[in-house]
Amino acid sequence: TLVNMLRTEFNVKHRVHLGFHYPPDLAKDFYGDPNALRQILLNLIVNGMKFTHVGEVSVHVTTTPTTQNDHVQLIISVKDTGIGIPEASLNNIFGSFSQADTSTTRKYGGTGLGLTITKSLIELMGGKIQVKSTEGLGSEFSIYLTMKQVQIQSNKLPNNNYESSTKKMVTDEIDFSQLSLLLVDDNQVNQKLLQAMVRKIGCQSKTVDSGLAAIDAMKQHNYDLVLMDLQMPGMGGLEATEIIRKELQLETPIVALTACAFEEDRKKSLTAGMNDFLTKPINFGVLKEKIIQWAGNQGIPMEYPHQKNS
C-alpha cells in the first residue's frame, strides 16, 4: 500500500519511476512490527527519491531459508539510479546527522538522520542493513530480517458488526470535503504521501514546509486541524506550536508527526501545546481516525446540529 501510494504521486509528476518487485510465489504474511517496517521502507524510498533525478527507485523482496523450519530470512533491497555515495563516505553513512559531504546537505537538504533511525529500527528487529554504491551510478540498501511466516487459518473470526457499523455511521455523518487541514512537513516525499492520504479521505488541504510558514498560514486562514512535523530546518514543530498557542492564541487542534517514536517526544509535543501524536510512516486508517477525533465535529453536516456539542 505504501509503495503504491508513493508510486501514484511520483510516477506521474516526476521523471523517476518507483518500481516494486515481489515474486508471486513468495509468502505474503510474516510476524513482525508493521509500523517499524513501514518506517524503514519509507525512509529508504524517500532517500532514494531525494538523490535520484532520472531513472528508477526500485524495491525488491526475496527470501532465503534458515535453520528454523518456520522462519525465513526476508531480504528487502531498495535500489536507485541516483548520485551514489563516495567510497570514503560509505562507512559513516549510518552515523547520526551524516551525509556524504556538506555540499550535499546544502543542495538536497536534511541531515541524514533518516538512515540512522532506519539502522536502529532494523537492529531492534534483530536484523542488519548493508549498502553498496558507486558514485554517479546509484546506491542499493539491503535489509536482512529473520521473520516467522504466518500460517493462514481457514476459520475466520466473526466480525464485530456493532462496532464496525457504528464507526461507519460516524464516518457517513462527516462531510470531509468541508474540513480544511494544514500539512506541515519539509520533506517533499512525505508531503506527497500525506497529501495523497488526505485527498483520499476527502479533505481540503494546504501544505507548507516550515514552522514559520505554518504560523503565517494560520494567520491567514482558520484551519480545522494541523498535522505538524516536529523536525524541520529553521523553526521546528514544537517552537511553531508554542507561538501558535501563546502569541496567536489559537486553539486549533495540532497533531505532531515524527519518525521518532519515543515517549520523550510525545511528552515534549503535549507540553508545547499539541493535542496528539502520530508516528511516521502514517497509517491511513489511524490518520482518518485522528481527523475524525480532532476535526470531525467541524465537518458534520448542518442537518445534524445535535451532534455539534456531543
Side-chain angles (χ1 to χ4, degrees):
T1 302
L2 172 66
V3 174
N4 285 337
M5 197 166 288
L6 284 170
R7 181 190 290 131
T8 299
E9 288 295 314
F10 277 86
N11 288 357
V12 175
K13 300 178 182 178
H14 299 260
R15 293 181 294 171
V16 179
H17 174 73
L18 178 57
F20 185 59
H21 308 277
Y22 197 105
D25 58 340
L26 213 61
K28 297 294 189 294
D29 298 283
F30 302 89
Y31 286 105
D33 186 338
N35 291 325
L37 192 55
R38 277 198 303 269
Q39 179 68 67
I40 291 164
L41 274 176
L42 180 61
N43 286 354
L44 292 179
I45 292 171
V46 166
N47 198 67
M49 286 286 187
K50 187 176 179 180
F51 297 107
T52 303
H53 302 299
V54 179
E56 181 182 44
V57 175
S58 56
V59 181
H60 298 259
V61 183
T62 58
T63 59
T64 58
T66 68
T67 55
Q68 297 173 275
N69 291 334
D70 56 348
H71 286 68
V72 295
Q73 185 174 61
L74 184 67
I75 305 169
I76 305 174
S77 297
V78 180
K79 188 175 183 179
D80 66 66
T81 57
I83 63 173
I85 304 166
E87 185 175 356
S89 301
L90 282 175
N91 291 335
N92 301 319
I93 199 65
F94 296 108
S96 297
F97 300 100
S98 72
Q99 283 190 338
D101 54 46
T102 55
S103 63
T104 302
T105 302
R106 287 195 301 270
K107 183 175 181 179
Y108 295 96
T111 59
L113 182 59
L115 289 179
T116 305
I117 293 172
T118 299
K119 184 173 184 289
S120 298
L121 288 171
I122 292 168
E123 291 176 348
L124 285 171
M125 296 175 72
K128 63 179 181 179
I129 182 170
Q130 296 178 346
V131 57
K132 295 187 296 184
S133 185
T134 302
E135 191 171 6
L137 296 179
S139 305
E140 181 176 6
F141 290 84
S142 298
I143 307 161
Y144 300 86
L145 296 168
T146 300
M147 308 285 281
K148 184 177 180 179
Q149 297 185 77
V150 176
Q151 301 298 320
I152 303 299
Q153 301 293 327
S154 58
N155 296 326
K156 295 183 179 180
L157 293 174
N159 291 325
N160 187 334
N161 293 326
Y162 175 79
E163 182 179 355
S164 60
S165 62
T166 301
K167 285 184 178 180
K168 187 176 187 303
M169 286 172 62
V170 171
T171 301
D172 287 347
E173 288 184 354
I174 296 173
D175 183 1
F176 287 98
S177 67
Q178 297 302 307
L179 297 181
S180 178
L181 275 58
L182 180 63
L183 315 178
V184 190
D185 199 305
D186 65 303
N187 185 284
Q188 188 183 40
V189 180
N190 290 342
Q191 288 177 6
K192 296 297 182 183
L193 183 59
L194 197 55
Q195 287 169 353
M197 290 182 174
V198 169
R199 189 184 308 120
K200 187 174 181 180
I201 292 170
C203 304
Q204 303 175 51
S205 69
K206 176 182 174 64
T207 303
V208 296
D209 60 5
S210 71
L212 188 60
I215 292 169
D216 289 339
M218 294 186 72
K219 289 178 180 178
Q220 300 171 27
H221 183 79
N222 184 25
Y223 293 96
D224 297 306
L225 178 65
V226 179
L227 302 177
M228 178 87 75
D229 187 25
L230 290 187
Q231 296 174 328
M232 294 179 287
M235 183 184 292
L238 295 178
E239 186 180 354
T241 299
E242 290 177 345
I243 293 174
I244 290 167
R245 297 298 189 226
K246 295 177 182 178
E247 296 184 19
L248 302 188
Q249 296 288 304
L250 294 176
E251 297 182 359
T252 308
I254 301 176
V255 175
L257 306 177
T258 180
C260 302
F262 303 117
E263 186 61 28
E264 181 181 355
D265 297 287
R266 187 184 301 271
K267 290 179 179 178
K268 286 181 179 178
S269 301
L270 298 177
T271 300
M274 293 179 165
N275 300 86
D276 212 334
F277 189 97
L278 275 175
T279 304
K280 297 179 183 178
I282 307 303
N283 178 280
F284 179 79
V286 174
L287 174 61
K288 189 172 184 179
E289 289 178 0
K290 295 298 183 185
I291 292 174
I292 292 171
Q293 177 183 352
W294 293 109
N297 284 345
Q298 303 301 320
I300 292 178
M302 292 305 294
E303 57 262 41
Y304 300 105
H306 63 282
Q307 295 283 354
K308 295 288 283 186
N309 298 316
S310 61

mmCIF file of all heavy atoms in Angstrom, residues 5-19 45-46 48-57 81 108 186-193 195-196 199:
data_model
loop_
_atom_site.group_PDB
_atom_site.id
_atom_site.type_symbol
_atom_site.label_atom_id
_atom_site.label_comp_id
_atom_site.label_asym_id
_atom_site.label_seq_id
_atom_site.Cartn_x
_atom_site.Cartn_y
_atom_site.Cartn_z
ATOM 1 N N MET A 5 0.998 3.993 -3.096
ATOM 2 C CA MET A 5 0.614 5.389 -2.891
ATOM 3 C C MET A 5 1.733 6.326 -3.333
ATOM 4 O O MET A 5 1.508 7.344 -3.992
ATOM 5 C CB MET A 5 0.243 5.626 -1.435
ATOM 6 C CG MET A 5 -0.549 6.901 -1.202
ATOM 7 S SD MET A 5 -1.311 6.951 0.433
ATOM 8 C CE MET A 5 -2.603 5.742 0.250
ATOM 9 N N LEU A 6 2.965 5.977 -2.998
ATOM 10 C CA LEU A 6 4.098 6.786 -3.417
ATOM 11 C C LEU A 6 4.256 6.732 -4.935
ATOM 12 O O LEU A 6 4.564 7.733 -5.578
ATOM 13 C CB LEU A 6 5.382 6.285 -2.748
ATOM 14 C CG LEU A 6 5.564 6.654 -1.275
ATOM 15 C CD1 LEU A 6 6.741 5.897 -0.694
ATOM 16 C CD2 LEU A 6 5.767 8.145 -1.102
ATOM 17 N N ARG A 7 4.037 5.550 -5.510
ATOM 18 C CA ARG A 7 4.162 5.396 -6.962
ATOM 19 C C ARG A 7 3.176 6.298 -7.689
ATOM 20 O O ARG A 7 3.507 6.953 -8.678
ATOM 21 C CB ARG A 7 3.929 3.935 -7.357
ATOM 22 C CG ARG A 7 4.076 3.692 -8.870
ATOM 23 C CD ARG A 7 3.608 2.301 -9.239
ATOM 24 N NE ARG A 7 4.528 1.298 -8.744
ATOM 25 C CZ ARG A 7 4.151 0.215 -8.069
ATOM 26 N NH1 ARG A 7 2.892 0.043 -7.768
ATOM 27 N NH2 ARG A 7 5.042 -0.674 -7.692
ATOM 28 N N THR A 8 1.944 6.350 -7.195
ATOM 29 C CA THR A 8 0.913 7.187 -7.822
ATOM 30 C C THR A 8 1.333 8.638 -7.838
ATOM 31 O O THR A 8 1.154 9.352 -8.821
ATOM 32 C CB THR A 8 -0.417 7.046 -7.059
ATOM 33 O OG1 THR A 8 -0.827 5.679 -7.108
ATOM 34 C CG2 THR A 8 -1.490 7.913 -7.687
ATOM 35 N N GLU A 9 1.923 9.096 -6.740
ATOM 36 C CA GLU A 9 2.312 10.501 -6.636
ATOM 37 C C GLU A 9 3.522 10.826 -7.500
ATOM 38 O O GLU A 9 3.585 11.881 -8.127
ATOM 39 C CB GLU A 9 2.616 10.854 -5.174
ATOM 40 C CG GLU A 9 1.382 10.932 -4.312
ATOM 41 C CD GLU A 9 0.471 12.061 -4.720
ATOM 42 O OE1 GLU A 9 0.952 13.184 -4.935
ATOM 43 O OE2 GLU A 9 -0.729 11.814 -4.855
ATOM 44 N N PHE A 10 4.500 9.923 -7.571
ATOM 45 C CA PHE A 10 5.773 10.287 -8.181
ATOM 46 C C PHE A 10 5.910 9.897 -9.650
ATOM 47 O O PHE A 10 6.536 10.599 -10.419
ATOM 48 C CB PHE A 10 6.935 9.692 -7.370
ATOM 49 C CG PHE A 10 7.284 10.541 -6.200
ATOM 50 C CD1 PHE A 10 6.608 10.393 -5.008
ATOM 51 C CD2 PHE A 10 8.239 11.529 -6.303
ATOM 52 C CE1 PHE A 10 6.895 11.201 -3.932
ATOM 53 C CE2 PHE A 10 8.539 12.342 -5.229
ATOM 54 C CZ PHE A 10 7.870 12.178 -4.038
ATOM 55 N N ASN A 11 5.329 8.777 -10.065
ATOM 56 C CA ASN A 11 5.486 8.371 -11.448
ATOM 57 C C ASN A 11 4.848 9.367 -12.406
ATOM 58 O O ASN A 11 5.300 9.564 -13.520
ATOM 59 C CB ASN A 11 4.870 6.978 -11.670
ATOM 60 C CG ASN A 11 5.720 5.891 -11.015
ATOM 61 O OD1 ASN A 11 6.764 6.184 -10.454
ATOM 62 N ND2 ASN A 11 5.269 4.660 -11.086
ATOM 63 N N VAL A 12 3.777 10.019 -11.967
ATOM 64 C CA VAL A 12 3.057 10.949 -12.827
ATOM 65 C C VAL A 12 3.767 12.293 -12.902
ATOM 66 O O VAL A 12 3.858 12.905 -13.963
ATOM 67 C CB VAL A 12 1.607 11.149 -12.319
ATOM 68 C CG1 VAL A 12 0.894 12.201 -13.136
ATOM 69 C CG2 VAL A 12 0.849 9.827 -12.376
ATOM 70 N N LYS A 13 4.294 12.765 -11.766
ATOM 71 C CA LYS A 13 4.786 14.132 -11.689
ATOM 72 C C LYS A 13 6.304 14.253 -11.812
ATOM 73 O O LYS A 13 6.834 15.335 -11.903
ATOM 74 C CB LYS A 13 4.320 14.764 -10.369
ATOM 75 C CG LYS A 13 2.794 14.792 -10.240
ATOM 76 C CD LYS A 13 2.386 15.375 -8.908
ATOM 77 C CE LYS A 13 0.869 15.359 -8.759
ATOM 78 N NZ LYS A 13 0.426 15.874 -7.467
ATOM 79 N N HIS A 14 7.022 13.130 -11.778
ATOM 80 C CA HIS A 14 8.476 13.194 -11.812
ATOM 81 C C HIS A 14 9.012 12.243 -12.885
ATOM 82 O O HIS A 14 8.300 11.406 -13.397
ATOM 83 C CB HIS A 14 9.059 12.806 -10.441
ATOM 84 C CG HIS A 14 8.609 13.727 -9.342
ATOM 85 N ND1 HIS A 14 9.392 14.744 -8.861
ATOM 86 C CD2 HIS A 14 7.454 13.786 -8.653
ATOM 87 C CE1 HIS A 14 8.741 15.392 -7.912
ATOM 88 N NE2 HIS A 14 7.568 14.825 -7.753
ATOM 89 N N ARG A 15 10.282 12.425 -13.195
ATOM 90 C CA ARG A 15 10.914 11.561 -14.184
ATOM 91 C C ARG A 15 11.504 10.317 -13.539
ATOM 92 O O ARG A 15 12.227 9.572 -14.176
ATOM 93 C CB ARG A 15 12.013 12.337 -14.916
ATOM 94 C CG ARG A 15 11.473 13.468 -15.797
ATOM 95 C CD ARG A 15 12.603 14.168 -16.504
ATOM 96 N NE ARG A 15 13.479 14.863 -15.555
ATOM 97 C CZ ARG A 15 14.640 15.402 -15.895
ATOM 98 N NH1 ARG A 15 15.086 15.317 -17.122
ATOM 99 N NH2 ARG A 15 15.370 16.030 -14.977
ATOM 100 N N VAL A 16 11.225 10.097 -12.282
ATOM 101 C CA VAL A 16 11.745 8.932 -11.564
ATOM 102 C C VAL A 16 10.622 7.908 -11.391
ATOM 103 O O VAL A 16 9.547 8.226 -10.877
ATOM 104 C CB VAL A 16 12.297 9.351 -10.179
ATOM 105 C CG1 VAL A 16 12.822 8.132 -9.441
ATOM 106 C CG2 VAL A 16 13.392 10.388 -10.348
ATOM 107 N N HIS A 17 10.865 6.687 -11.834
ATOM 108 C CA HIS A 17 9.881 5.609 -11.701
ATOM 109 C C HIS A 17 10.116 4.872 -10.389
ATOM 110 O O HIS A 17 11.260 4.603 -10.013
ATOM 111 C CB HIS A 17 10.018 4.632 -12.866
ATOM 112 C CG HIS A 17 9.151 3.423 -12.731
ATOM 113 N ND1 HIS A 17 7.788 3.461 -12.897
ATOM 114 C CD2 HIS A 17 9.453 2.131 -12.414
ATOM 115 C CE1 HIS A 17 7.286 2.258 -12.710
ATOM 116 N NE2 HIS A 17 8.278 1.435 -12.421
ATOM 117 N N LEU A 18 9.047 4.572 -9.686
ATOM 118 C CA LEU A 18 9.136 3.777 -8.458
ATOM 119 C C LEU A 18 8.618 2.377 -8.761
ATOM 120 O O LEU A 18 7.441 2.186 -9.073
ATOM 121 C CB LEU A 18 8.321 4.416 -7.337
ATOM 122 C CG LEU A 18 8.284 3.657 -6.000
ATOM 123 C CD1 LEU A 18 9.695 3.433 -5.469
ATOM 124 C CD2 LEU A 18 7.450 4.414 -4.974
ATOM 125 N N GLY A 19 9.504 1.401 -8.701
ATOM 126 C CA GLY A 19 9.138 0.022 -9.024
ATOM 127 C C GLY A 19 9.062 -0.847 -7.787
ATOM 128 O O GLY A 19 9.742 -0.591 -6.780
ATOM 129 N N ILE A 45 13.028 4.641 0.700
ATOM 130 C CA ILE A 45 12.456 5.108 -0.566
ATOM 131 C C ILE A 45 12.608 6.614 -0.689
ATOM 132 O O ILE A 45 12.977 7.145 -1.745
ATOM 133 C CB ILE A 45 10.970 4.700 -0.680
ATOM 134 C CG1 ILE A 45 10.845 3.176 -0.809
ATOM 135 C CG2 ILE A 45 10.320 5.371 -1.885
ATOM 136 C CD1 ILE A 45 9.415 2.663 -0.705
ATOM 137 N N VAL A 46 12.322 7.332 0.393
ATOM 138 C CA VAL A 46 12.486 8.796 0.402
ATOM 139 C C VAL A 46 13.932 9.156 0.103
ATOM 140 O O VAL A 46 14.226 10.069 -0.681
ATOM 141 C CB VAL A 46 12.050 9.385 1.759
ATOM 142 C CG1 VAL A 46 12.533 10.816 1.912
ATOM 143 C CG2 VAL A 46 10.543 9.327 1.901
ATOM 144 N N GLY A 48 16.118 7.388 -1.566
ATOM 145 C CA GLY A 48 16.397 7.118 -2.978
ATOM 146 C C GLY A 48 15.820 8.186 -3.887
ATOM 147 O O GLY A 48 16.477 8.659 -4.824
ATOM 148 N N MET A 49 14.560 8.582 -3.635
ATOM 149 C CA MET A 49 13.908 9.613 -4.440
ATOM 150 C C MET A 49 14.647 10.953 -4.338
ATOM 151 O O MET A 49 14.763 11.705 -5.308
ATOM 152 C CB MET A 49 12.462 9.798 -3.974
ATOM 153 C CG MET A 49 11.535 8.676 -4.379
ATOM 154 S SD MET A 49 11.169 8.773 -6.135
ATOM 155 C CE MET A 49 9.918 7.489 -6.271
ATOM 156 N N LYS A 50 15.130 11.225 -3.151
ATOM 157 C CA LYS A 50 15.774 12.510 -2.877
ATOM 158 C C LYS A 50 17.031 12.706 -3.724
ATOM 159 O O LYS A 50 17.313 13.813 -4.192
ATOM 160 C CB LYS A 50 16.117 12.561 -1.387
ATOM 161 C CG LYS A 50 16.648 13.875 -0.875
ATOM 162 C CD LYS A 50 16.828 13.755 0.638
ATOM 163 C CE LYS A 50 17.374 15.031 1.239
ATOM 164 N NZ LYS A 50 17.551 14.902 2.701
ATOM 165 N N PHE A 51 17.774 11.621 -3.950
ATOM 166 C CA PHE A 51 19.058 11.729 -4.638
ATOM 167 C C PHE A 51 19.022 11.175 -6.060
ATOM 168 O O PHE A 51 20.064 10.953 -6.663
ATOM 169 C CB PHE A 51 20.141 11.013 -3.822
ATOM 170 C CG PHE A 51 20.376 11.632 -2.475
ATOM 171 C CD1 PHE A 51 19.930 11.005 -1.322
ATOM 172 C CD2 PHE A 51 21.021 12.846 -2.352
ATOM 173 C CE1 PHE A 51 20.131 11.574 -0.074
ATOM 174 C CE2 PHE A 51 21.227 13.424 -1.112
ATOM 175 C CZ PHE A 51 20.783 12.789 0.031
ATOM 176 N N THR A 52 17.816 10.937 -6.599
ATOM 177 C CA THR A 52 17.682 10.415 -7.962
ATOM 178 C C THR A 52 16.888 11.404 -8.802
ATOM 179 O O THR A 52 15.748 11.726 -8.478
ATOM 180 C CB THR A 52 16.969 9.047 -7.962
ATOM 181 O OG1 THR A 52 17.694 8.139 -7.117
ATOM 182 C CG2 THR A 52 16.891 8.465 -9.360
ATOM 183 N N HIS A 53 17.487 11.883 -9.865
ATOM 184 C CA HIS A 53 16.822 12.861 -10.733
ATOM 185 C C HIS A 53 16.133 12.186 -11.911
ATOM 186 O O HIS A 53 15.056 12.601 -12.334
ATOM 187 C CB HIS A 53 17.840 13.881 -11.249
ATOM 188 C CG HIS A 53 18.558 14.610 -10.165
ATOM 189 N ND1 HIS A 53 17.906 15.397 -9.236
ATOM 190 C CD2 HIS A 53 19.879 14.652 -9.830
ATOM 191 C CE1 HIS A 53 18.793 15.919 -8.398
ATOM 192 N NE2 HIS A 53 19.988 15.472 -8.732
ATOM 193 N N VAL A 54 16.771 11.174 -12.482
ATOM 194 C CA VAL A 54 16.230 10.463 -13.639
ATOM 195 C C VAL A 54 16.494 8.977 -13.446
ATOM 196 O O VAL A 54 17.549 8.584 -12.957
ATOM 197 C CB VAL A 54 16.893 10.939 -14.954
ATOM 198 C CG1 VAL A 54 16.329 10.170 -16.142
ATOM 199 C CG2 VAL A 54 16.688 12.428 -15.155
ATOM 200 N N GLY A 55 15.512 8.158 -13.829
ATOM 201 C CA GLY A 55 15.717 6.716 -13.743
ATOM 202 C C GLY A 55 14.701 6.041 -12.860
ATOM 203 O O GLY A 55 13.494 6.236 -13.024
ATOM 204 N N GLU A 56 15.176 5.284 -11.864
ATOM 205 C CA GLU A 56 14.261 4.456 -11.085
ATOM 206 C C GLU A 56 14.740 4.273 -9.657
ATOM 207 O O GLU A 56 15.934 4.207 -9.382
ATOM 208 C CB GLU A 56 14.121 3.075 -11.750
ATOM 209 C CG GLU A 56 13.171 2.137 -11.022
ATOM 210 C CD GLU A 56 13.075 0.763 -11.676
ATOM 211 O OE1 GLU A 56 14.127 0.213 -12.040
ATOM 212 O OE2 GLU A 56 11.951 0.249 -11.807
ATOM 213 N N VAL A 57 13.775 4.199 -8.771
ATOM 214 C CA VAL A 57 13.990 3.672 -7.427
ATOM 215 C C VAL A 57 13.153 2.405 -7.358
ATOM 216 O O VAL A 57 11.951 2.441 -7.614
ATOM 217 C CB VAL A 57 13.541 4.672 -6.337
ATOM 218 C CG1 VAL A 57 13.672 4.032 -4.954
ATOM 219 C CG2 VAL A 57 14.350 5.950 -6.404
ATOM 220 N N THR A 81 19.021 4.856 -9.052
ATOM 221 C CA THR A 81 19.966 5.244 -10.108
ATOM 222 C C THR A 81 20.421 6.680 -9.889
ATOM 223 O O THR A 81 20.589 7.437 -10.847
ATOM 224 C CB THR A 81 19.320 5.088 -11.495
ATOM 225 O OG1 THR A 81 18.113 5.881 -11.544
ATOM 226 C CG2 THR A 81 18.958 3.640 -11.774
ATOM 227 N N TYR A 108 20.590 19.219 -1.193
ATOM 228 C CA TYR A 108 19.437 18.325 -1.102
ATOM 229 C C TYR A 108 18.656 18.479 0.192
ATOM 230 O O TYR A 108 17.560 17.939 0.333
ATOM 231 C CB TYR A 108 19.891 16.860 -1.252
ATOM 232 C CG TYR A 108 20.464 16.568 -2.612
ATOM 233 C CD1 TYR A 108 21.836 16.613 -2.835
ATOM 234 C CD2 TYR A 108 19.627 16.261 -3.680
ATOM 235 C CE1 TYR A 108 22.364 16.350 -4.087
ATOM 236 C CE2 TYR A 108 20.152 15.986 -4.942
ATOM 237 C CZ TYR A 108 21.522 16.038 -5.133
ATOM 238 O OH TYR A 108 22.036 15.775 -6.376
ATOM 239 N N ASP A 186 8.760 19.352 5.844
ATOM 240 C CA ASP A 186 9.772 19.899 4.933
ATOM 241 C C ASP A 186 10.225 18.902 3.887
ATOM 242 O O ASP A 186 10.913 19.267 2.934
ATOM 243 C CB ASP A 186 10.998 20.368 5.736
ATOM 244 C CG ASP A 186 11.715 19.211 6.415
ATOM 245 O OD1 ASP A 186 11.066 18.489 7.186
ATOM 246 O OD2 ASP A 186 12.925 19.027 6.169
ATOM 247 N N ASN A 187 9.831 17.617 4.026
ATOM 248 C CA ASN A 187 10.277 16.594 3.080
ATOM 249 C C ASN A 187 9.253 16.424 1.969
ATOM 250 O O ASN A 187 8.076 16.165 2.232
ATOM 251 C CB ASN A 187 10.503 15.268 3.814
ATOM 252 C CG ASN A 187 11.077 14.210 2.902
ATOM 253 O OD1 ASN A 187 10.377 13.646 2.082
ATOM 254 N ND2 ASN A 187 12.350 13.929 3.065
ATOM 255 N N GLN A 188 9.689 16.548 0.717
ATOM 256 C CA GLN A 188 8.773 16.532 -0.412
ATOM 257 C C GLN A 188 8.037 15.204 -0.546
ATOM 258 O O GLN A 188 6.840 15.167 -0.834
ATOM 259 C CB GLN A 188 9.524 16.835 -1.709
ATOM 260 C CG GLN A 188 8.590 17.023 -2.913
ATOM 261 C CD GLN A 188 9.352 17.255 -4.188
ATOM 262 O OE1 GLN A 188 10.387 16.632 -4.433
ATOM 263 N NE2 GLN A 188 8.853 18.142 -5.030
ATOM 264 N N VAL A 189 8.750 14.095 -0.315
ATOM 265 C CA VAL A 189 8.101 12.786 -0.436
ATOM 266 C C VAL A 189 7.051 12.605 0.649
ATOM 267 O O VAL A 189 5.937 12.134 0.398
ATOM 268 C CB VAL A 189 9.141 11.643 -0.380
ATOM 269 C CG1 VAL A 189 8.458 10.291 -0.500
ATOM 270 C CG2 VAL A 189 10.167 11.805 -1.494
ATOM 271 N N ASN A 190 7.389 12.999 1.877
ATOM 272 C CA ASN A 190 6.419 12.929 2.967
ATOM 273 C C ASN A 190 5.200 13.800 2.670
ATOM 274 O O ASN A 190 4.059 13.423 2.953
ATOM 275 C CB ASN A 190 7.059 13.377 4.287
ATOM 276 C CG ASN A 190 8.082 12.387 4.799
ATOM 277 O OD1 ASN A 190 8.096 11.231 4.390
ATOM 278 N ND2 ASN A 190 8.946 12.836 5.693
ATOM 279 N N GLN A 191 5.449 14.973 2.086
ATOM 280 C CA GLN A 191 4.350 15.868 1.714
ATOM 281 C C GLN A 191 3.409 15.177 0.736
ATOM 282 O O GLN A 191 2.180 15.201 0.907
ATOM 283 C CB GLN A 191 4.892 17.141 1.063
ATOM 284 C CG GLN A 191 5.582 18.108 1.994
ATOM 285 C CD GLN A 191 6.137 19.294 1.233
ATOM 286 O OE1 GLN A 191 5.921 19.449 0.032
ATOM 287 N NE2 GLN A 191 6.878 20.150 1.934
ATOM 288 N N LYS A 192 3.970 14.576 -0.314
ATOM 289 C CA LYS A 192 3.157 13.948 -1.352
ATOM 290 C C LYS A 192 2.346 12.790 -0.792
ATOM 291 O O LYS A 192 1.168 12.609 -1.139
ATOM 292 C CB LYS A 192 4.051 13.451 -2.494
ATOM 293 C CG LYS A 192 4.790 14.542 -3.228
ATOM 294 C CD LYS A 192 3.850 15.498 -3.914
ATOM 295 C CE LYS A 192 4.611 16.562 -4.702
ATOM 296 N NZ LYS A 192 3.683 17.550 -5.310
ATOM 297 N N LEU A 193 2.966 11.997 0.083
ATOM 298 C CA LEU A 193 2.263 10.867 0.674
ATOM 299 C C LEU A 193 1.120 11.343 1.560
ATOM 300 O O LEU A 193 0.001 10.818 1.499
ATOM 301 C CB LEU A 193 3.245 10.007 1.479
ATOM 302 C CG LEU A 193 2.677 8.730 2.111
ATOM 303 C CD1 LEU A 193 2.089 7.813 1.043
ATOM 304 C CD2 LEU A 193 3.740 8.003 2.907
ATOM 305 N N GLN A 195 -0.409 14.275 1.398
ATOM 306 C CA GLN A 195 -1.410 14.883 0.532
ATOM 307 C C GLN A 195 -2.307 13.822 -0.098
ATOM 308 O O GLN A 195 -3.530 13.998 -0.190
ATOM 309 C CB GLN A 195 -0.731 15.696 -0.576
ATOM 310 C CG GLN A 195 -0.122 16.996 -0.106
ATOM 311 C CD GLN A 195 0.762 17.631 -1.170
ATOM 312 O OE1 GLN A 195 1.022 17.037 -2.218
ATOM 313 N NE2 GLN A 195 1.234 18.839 -0.901
ATOM 314 N N ALA A 196 -1.693 12.714 -0.531
ATOM 315 C CA ALA A 196 -2.465 11.646 -1.168
ATOM 316 C C ALA A 196 -3.463 11.035 -0.189
ATOM 317 O O ALA A 196 -4.612 10.758 -0.542
ATOM 318 C CB ALA A 196 -1.520 10.573 -1.701
ATOM 319 N N ARG A 199 -6.242 13.612 0.551
ATOM 320 C CA ARG A 199 -7.104 13.727 -0.623
ATOM 321 C C ARG A 199 -8.033 12.528 -0.723
ATOM 322 O O ARG A 199 -9.214 12.663 -1.066
ATOM 323 C CB ARG A 199 -6.248 13.826 -1.881
ATOM 324 C CG ARG A 199 -7.037 14.156 -3.154
ATOM 325 C CD ARG A 199 -6.153 14.156 -4.383
ATOM 326 N NE ARG A 199 -4.988 15.008 -4.191
ATOM 327 C CZ ARG A 199 -3.736 14.578 -4.247
ATOM 328 N NH1 ARG A 199 -3.490 13.304 -4.477
ATOM 329 N NH2 ARG A 199 -2.736 15.400 -4.084
#
